[in-house]
Amino acid sequence: MSQIEETNLINTHEAQQFDVVVIGGGMVGAACALGLHKVGYKVLVIERHPPTRLWFSASDYSPRVSALTRASENILRNLGAWQGIQDRRLHPFVAMRIWEANADEEVVFEAQSVREANLGYVVENNLIQSAIWDEMVKAEVAVMTGCELSSLEYDDTLYKSKIVLQSGQTVFADLVIGADGAFSQVRQMAGIGLDQHDYAQCAVVGCVRTEGSHQDTCWQRYREEGPFAFLAMEQNVSSIAWYLPIQKMQWAMGLSDEAYRDEIFKASEGRLGRIVETWERAAFPLTRRHAQHYIQSGLVLVGDAAHTVHPQAGQGVNLGLLDAASLVEVLTQAKEWRERPGDFSVLRRYERWRRGDNLVVQRAMEGFDWLFEPDRGVKDQIRGKLLSFGNIVKPAKNWLIKQALNGREPLPKLAKIQHVSLFK
Ligand SMILES: Cc1cc2nc3c(=O)[nH]c(=O)nc-3n(C[C@H](O)[C@H](O)[C@H](O)COP(=O)(O)OP(=O)(O)OC[C@H]3O[C@@H](n4cnc5c(N)ncnc54)[C@H](O)[C@@H]3O)c2cc1C
């Protein structure tokens, strides 16, 4: 378990000044805080939950996992957090197989076809967060945990934000980073609107042990009710993502262990054999959200606070980490050019960089959703053709693999260069 040492905790009732205050110490917020601290900003992280929720046990599996791309791996390596993940648990996957229920066609993406060792890693979210927090602790980034926001105001004569907590503590910052997730209070307090679409679907997630091996492969089957996926975790252990109409969420969460195992077997067409063991499950209603703006003077949104996407292609935190790396790069340059980090013109560079990319991914997920929703007509034919086309036209498939693995240009430096620390 990560130990947040006393030195990192701010416990004073005197108002404090920081260059940057990050609200929300999840994977994305913590990555921003660590990166900005490393380039010389005075940073404070305010996190609602105490860090006891972080990864704690190798004999248990947390229900929430992410499939990390090479770009995310590079970012975490450059931040110094990759070793902490490797030391605990991560699993590379070398292939991805996608097929449609009751159809013969299957598309297979393989790492070796693009001369890569793998197509990414499956890692538990709280483990990623723990590894970054450990680095924050070592670097002595200031943190406040277990606290709630009371108000947030920007003073455009002082160029500073005033953050008041429910405890009465006050903090001043040149820049506030809203990294407080999909239901961002920072976004609401800043009055930033949201475009959203309810998928009327939920995802049930959790780890399972299967009779057969996952073969270091992620498996995704498209069914009438929504996709079903196995993400390779450890020997014969996979994380599942079982998509269902939202009306079935309570039913799925209320299933006995035995009935749950049977339903997973059916949803996966028994591809990995019987389900022999299950761990804690969780369910999430799915909504696409996009903040109408990512920035205001003195304030910026990152990660799920700015955008959420359908998780079927496992892009959410990968996009968030690209937000973090891009913001660190923009603010590093601002420091060199002696600009204020909260200036609208500085933050606009970040917004221009990231908003379009996030929008493209959201739209692509929408396209997938449209294509794979139940239909007995033309969509069935398009799907069949696409799946067989995907297997035949190798250059197109390899291009897709590289885009998904490495991210789209222009990439931030932290996402590009592996094994080289950019913070020297
Ligand atoms: C079913 C499912 C499967 C997914 N699979 C993948 C995948 O395979 N790959 C992938 O890339 N993404 C995936 N995602 C998306 C991914 O989980 C999210 O994009 C990611 O968790 C977002 O990280 P974040 O740090 O922005 O936000 P969060 O993880 O939500 O963290 C926000 C943090 O802010 C804190 N906080 C909240 N409010 C406040 C407040 N007012 N004050 C202080 N602190 C606050 C919270 O405690 C939390 O620590 C999946 C999502 C779902 C639902």
Side-chain angles (χ1 to χ4, degrees), residues 201-243:
Q201 231 181 23
C202 68
V204 178
V205 294
C207 285
V208 302
R209 191 185 302 281
T210 53
E211 197 179 18
S213 164
H214 49 55
Q215 300 154 42
D216 300 328
T217 296
C218 291
W219 307 73
Q220 183 134 301
R221 174 185 182 224
Y222 281 91
R223 308 138 55 237
E224 284 215 353
E225 287 193 315
F228 176 90
F230 279 124
L231 309 180
M233 283 281 293
E234 271 190 329
Q235 187 65 36
N236 285 28
V237 176
S238 297
S239 167
I240 64 152
W242 178 23
Y243 298 88

Side-chain angles (χ1 to χ4, degrees), residues 114-329:
V114 287
R115 294 198 177 81
E116 290 278 352
N118 57 60
L119 294 179
Y121 298 86
V122 180
V123 191
E124 290 146 286
N125 289 3
N126 56 5
L127 193 161
I128 301 170
Q129 191 186 1
S130 284
I132 310 175
W133 272 69
D134 284 349
E135 292 309 305
M136 288 202 316
V137 170
K138 275 192 228 156
E140 298 189 4
V141 177
V143 297
M144 289 174 97
T145 62
C147 37
E148 288 291 331
L149 288 182
S150 174
S151 67
L152 176 62
E153 287 164 21
Y154 182 68
D155 185 327
D156 55 11
T157 53
L158 295 173
Y159 303 109
K160 288 210 181 293
S161 290
K162 182 180 174 192
I163 302 148
V164 182
L165 301 175
Q166 283 184 10
S167 60
Q169 284 162 296
T170 303
V171 180
F172 290 95
D174 295 335
L175 175 65
V176 170
I177 301 182
D180 51 344
F183 304 99
S184 172
Q185 214 182 346
V186 172
R187 186 183 65 221
Q188 288 165 32
M189 283 179 165
I192 298 178
L194 201 59
D195 295 326
Q196 49 185 333
H197 167 72
D198 182 354
Y199 287 108
Q201 231 181 23
C202 68
V204 178
V205 294
C207 285
V208 302
R209 191 185 302 281
T210 53
E211 197 179 18
S213 164
H214 49 55
Q215 300 154 42
D216 300 328
T217 296
C218 291
W219 307 73
Q220 183 134 301
R221 174 185 182 224
Y222 281 91
R223 308 138 55 237
E224 284 215 353
E225 287 193 315
F228 176 90
F230 279 124
L231 309 180
M233 283 281 293
E234 271 190 329
Q235 187 65 36
N236 285 28
V237 176
S238 297
S239 167
I240 64 152
W242 178 23
Y243 298 88
L244 289 167
I246 191 74
Q247 306 87 301
K248 289 188 126 180
M249 188 163 115
Q250 278 196 340
W251 163 80
M253 289 303 286
L255 287 171
S256 67
D257 283 353
E258 198 188 343
Y260 177 53
R261 288 199 294 264
D262 288 347
E263 291 294 338
I264 297 168
F265 180 81
K266 277 192 260 166
S268 63
E269 265 177 3
R271 274 281 167 125
L272 303 186
R274 278 187 316 116
I275 309 299
V276 291
E277 192 175 359
T278 59
W279 283 270
E280 182 190 346
R281 71 192 101 142
F284 302 91
L286 300 178
T287 304
R288 164 173 54 76
R289 302 178 183 84
H290 209 173
Q292 285 162 356
H293 312 282
Y294 287 6
I295 63 165
Q296 282 178 357
S297 292
L299 184 138
V300 60
L301 300 177
V302 292
D304 274 21
H307 46 78
T308 57
V309 296
H310 195 293
Q312 64 180 308
Q315 286 297 312
V317 78
N318 291 303
L319 295 177
L321 289 172
L322 284 172
D323 291 350
S326 307
L327 185 62
V328 169
E329 192 164 319

Side-chain angles (χ1 to χ4, degrees), residues 65-91:
V65 307
S66 294
L68 296 177
T69 59
R70 187 76 69 245
S72 293
E73 177 190 343
N74 291 343
I75 293 168
L76 293 164
R77 276 188 195 278
N78 283 314
L79 289 173
W82 192 253
Q83 192 61 47
I85 296 174
Q86 264 181 324
D87 291 347
R88 289 162 169 126
R89 174 158 65 208
L90 88 173
H91 197 90

